[in-house]
Structure formats: C-alpha cells, structure tokens
Amino acid sequence: MSDQAAGEIGAKRRVRAEDEFRDAPQSALDFMIIRIAIRLLLTAAILLLWQYASGRWIEEYWISRPTDVAAKIVEWWYSGDLLTHMGITAGEAISGFLIGTLAGGVVGFIFGWFKRVAEILDPIIIAIYSLPKVALAPLFIIWFGIGFEMKVILTAVIVFFLVFFNTYSGVRDTSRELIDIVRLMGAKTPQVLWWVVLPSALTAIFVGLRVSVPYALIGAVVGEMMASNRGVGFLLMQSAGQFDTAGTFAALLTLIAISAAFNESIRYLEAYLLRWKEVQR
Amino acid sequence: MSDTPVLAFEDVTKVFYKGSQPVVALEGLDMAVREGEFVSVVGPSGCGKSTLLNLAAGLSPAAKGRVVYRGKPVEKINTAVGYITQHDNLLPWATVRKNITMGLKIRKVPAAERAARLESYLELTGLKGFENHFPAELSGGMRKRCSLARTLIYSPEMVLMDEPFSALDAHVKMIMHKELLRIWDEQRTTILFITHDLVEAITLADRIVVLSARPGCVKQEMQVDLPRPRDPFTLQTSPDFSVIFETLWDGLKDDIYKGENV
Ligand SMILES: Nc1ncnc2c1ncn2[C@@H]1O[C@H](COP(=O)(O)OP(=O)(O)OP(=O)(O)O)[C@@H](O)[C@H]1O
Ligand SMILES: [Mg+2]
C-alpha cells in the first residue's frame, strides 16, 4: 500500500516508458556490442600476426598459416568431411554429457539427500574418482569395441564424477530452514525436492556442468584418437600423422568451435534458470 | 472440547549445546493457547521466543517436558500450523506469485481460486505489480509482507508469527495491524504472536505472556480486556491502554537490560 500511495503522490513525476535512464537495458546492449567488437578486433590482430610471422620469424612447417588453415577448412567443408566428423564428435560428446549429467545428478541427489548412503559409499566413490578416467579407455575398448558407444561411455564416466560431486554438495548445502518451512506448509518429499532442493542445488550443478564441457570433449577426442576412423580426433591424428600442420590446426579450430558452441548453450541455460540471482546494483 | 487448549507447553525446557557448553534457552515454560485466541509473547532479546515457536512447529525437540498440540504431543513437523518466521525464508528462486501461492498449490486448490486469492492478498499486502519480482528485488519490508501473505493465504488453523511487522515503519505497521485484526475477526484463527513491541502486543492480543530473560520462562500473564473490534489508530489514546502498558512495562523493564544485544 505504501508503494501505491507513493504512486499517487508522485503522479506528476511518474516514470514514462519513453524516458531515458542511465541504467536502462539498452546501455547493456550497447556494451555487449562494444565487447564483441573488441573481441573481433583482437582475434583479427592475432590472425594477422600469425600470418605475418609464418615463414618470416618461424618456419611455416611448425605453425602453418591462417590462410592455409582456412583453405583446409574450406576443403573439408566441400568434401563433406568437416560436418561429418564434427557431427560425430559433437554427437559423442553431447550423448556422453547428457548420460553423465543425468546419472551424476541422480546419484548426487541420492547421496546428498540420504546422509547414510553418503557415509557408507563415500570412500568407494573417492577411490574411483582418484583414477584418471582416460586410463579407462583401453578397458572400454575391450568391453564396448571401438565404435560410438565406447566414446560415449568414456565421456559419460568423466562427466558423471564432475556433476556428481557438485550435485552432492549442492543438495547437502540446501538451507535446512527453507526445507522445514515448505514441509510445514504441507509439502511432501517430492515437492520439497522439486521446489527447494533442486533449485538450490542448481547453482552448484551448473558449476559441474560448466567444467564438464571441456572434459566431455576430452572423452570423445581421446577415444577417437585411440581407436577410430571417424571424428575430429581422427582428423587430428591423421593430419598430424601426415605432418600436415594446416590440417592439425584446422582440426583444433574445429574442436574450439564445438566447445564454444557447447559452452555458450550451457551459459544460456544457466542465465535463464538462475535468473533469480541476477540482482541489479 | 473448547477447554482443551490448541497448543500447550508443559514444563518445557530447551537446551542448545555449543560444544559441550549448554545454553539453556527455555526453562520450565508453562503456557497454553486456546482455540481462537490471539496470544502475544513479549520478552527480551535472546530469551527464547523464536525457540518457543520452533518447538510448537515441531522443528526442534524439547529437552524436557512436552509440547502438546490438540491433545497430542508434537513429535514431528506440525503441518497444522502456519509459521511466519523471523527471517522471511522466501524461496529466492521463486517469484512473489509462486512464493505466495505455494501453500495453495500444495493443497491442490484449483488455479482459478488460487488466482483470486492471490489477487486479494497482493492487494492486502501492497505487493500488487510485484508478482513477477524475485525476493532479492524486494525491499526488506516487502519481503516481510510477502512471507505474511504466503502463510495467511492458505488459512492454517493456527498461525505462529515471529515479529512479522518489525521491519515495517510505524504507519504501515498500523495498517497491517488493522488488516490482521480484520482477517482474524473473520476467520478466528488461533494466533501465537511474538513481538518485542508492547504497543503492538496490546493492540492485537487477547492475552499477553511476558517471558523472563534467558533462560526464558513465563514471568507474567495478562488478559487484555480492551473491547473489540479495536482500531489500531486510536486505541493508544484510551486510558485502559495506558494502564495495561504501565503494568506490563513494570514487569518487563528489569529484564530488558539483561537481554542480549538489545
Ligand atoms: N540453533 C541454535 N543453536 C544454538 N543456540 C541457539 C540456537 N537457536 C537459539 N539459540 C540460543 O537460544 C537462545 C534463545 O534464542 P531465540 O532465537 O529463541 O531468542 P529470541 O527470544 O527469539 O530473541 P530475538 O528477540 O532477538 O529474536 C539464544 O541465547 C540463542 O543463542
Ligand atoms: Mg527471535
């Protein structure tokens, strides 16, 4: 009511939509454009430097040159190689990521919610976690062959642990008071989990998801490098095997592109789901 | 039936441990709240007022004695009561609308009725136009009003309130008093109301319980026989009001200075 009263008193000096304010959302947009422009300029500068240095300061054999790399990418694009291999690698990474996230999230919830389970199984999980996951690749090759499945599973295992640990601590750290208050309102456990624990744990879960992205690609690419005739990891090995530096750089750039797109999607999802944390100052 | 109290504390003691060091928050507390009664508890800071409500809500167990709700000892979370906690405890990720209608959703109230009730409580608490805001985007007082609406909207049979109006300015406070009295007159909900504001306690309550400094126990009880309906804006000018105020203040003032962080 005080807010309405203030509105009446201030009828004369009411804020209109066409008024301009310093902190209005447009200025955020302006800043974004500037930010992107600076990034583009910087990238262009690095590419120019690279192009100039190649053959002058450093022998071309070692670092190739941007125009050659671009030519290679165009060549792969027209031969259809680029999209095929990118699609395979991205497919492996995304499938593994989703499976690992789902499994890690569910197990993390169980551990966080049932303290007893966590107390009993904690040392076992830590023991498995301390193993470098890529070391499992040879075993997975024996079990699952050298196809798509093996890379998906390797990726899923890596992502599982990252998401698991973050979900676990997120669930465990949920405010006791908030849970109690919602319980008091009559909520049953599923409602408490959905309305209180999940949103509260989401911050920590997203930390897990963000660090998982590069690891998801490690799983897929390492899998491809060890055993495959497809995927960007294979392109990488093949180019390097032929001492084709331009091809190697082109494959690396492709990986960066996949990773960036992946990251950006996670960031968007996070910005949306955690929008309640965005507080204006 | 009407003689059995809704809520009773029977010789209740509550102890917290800091390491092995016991902190006795309540000791030998005896009090009862009857059906439809508006009881206010006042007492110095740190004397165990919030602790008392937590016990009634079943959020923490008593060390000795019993807390009894409608004849049954409170052993687990007491969903019969609505609890407006001292900290607003709104869900930070839920909009004002979602926070307020949560109790109705849990009770499977149809969407149309939810919307209608939401509307009237937004009106009542002056939060109209802020339905889609998140708690972090509200002022302290608005958050308090939101948490008030969230509990009152689903009409629990008894409401526990822990200094619900302490963050509001004097004027808004009186408006809220008026509205609370109106709602209470309509629904005759049983209310246990914690405050450190004597004027507020006298304005609202049928009966006032004064707690001693920690460890808290009942030091004084007083019936407030001011006629109802009461008008919070004029009540304070009545001579009866002053008499009650003086009496309570006499009981409270020595302990106030013993209270923690007054
Ligand atoms: N969870 C807890 N752990 C340990 N000690 C606690 C806990 N909760 C309360 N206490 C102690 O119990 C005593 C009573 O606390 P309580 O919160 O009930 O006071 P209060 O009367 O509500 O005070 P205020 O008016 O300042 O809100 C205090 O001394 C406090 O330190
Ligand atoms: Mg308190």
Side-chain angles (χ1 to χ4, degrees), chain A residues 1-4 175 177-178 180-187 191 195-197 199-200 275-276 278-280, chain B residues 57 59 77-79 81 83 85 89-93 102-103 106-107 124 126 128 134 136 145 150 154 175:
Chain A
M1 75 231 54
S2 57
D3 312 293
Q4 285 162 11
S175 152
E177 281 192 22
L178 283 187
D180 283 347
I181 234 53
V182 174
R183 271 260 157 79
L184 208 58
M185 290 167 91
Q191 291 168 319
W195 282 333
V196 187
V197 182
S200 168
R275 64 192 180 286
W276 56 273
E278 272 294 319
V279 180
Q280 299 167 30
Chain B
L59 299 180
I77 283 194
N78 183 1
T79 54
V81 301
Y83 188 178
T85 50
N89 279 330
L90 296 169
L91 300 181
W93 41 82
M102 172 167 272
I106 292 170
R107 280 165 184 70
L124 165 68
K128 246 191 138 124
F134 290 106
R145 286 181 265 148
R150 166 176 78 167
Y154 71 87
I175 296 175

Side-chain angles (χ1 to χ4, degrees), chain B residues 16 23 25 44-51 86 162-163 214 260-261:
Chain B
F16 291 104
V23 175
S45 182
C47 75
K49 304 185 294 297
S50 299
T51 304
Q86 190 163 12
D162 199 347
E163 309 193 13
R214 192 171 58 79
E260 288 141 33
N261 60 62

Side-chain angles (χ1 to χ4, degrees), chain B residues 14-18 23-26 43-54 86-87 162-163 194-196 211 214 216 260-261:
Chain B
K14 174 76 195 178
V15 186
F16 291 104
Y17 287 91
K18 179 76 192 165
V23 175
V24 185
L26 293 169
S45 182
C47 75
K49 304 185 294 297
S50 299
T51 304
L52 181 153
L53 292 193
N54 286 339
Q86 190 163 12
H87 309 289
D162 199 347
E163 309 193 13
I194 306 285
T195 176
H196 55 246
L211 295 190
R214 192 171 58 79
E260 288 141 33
N261 60 62

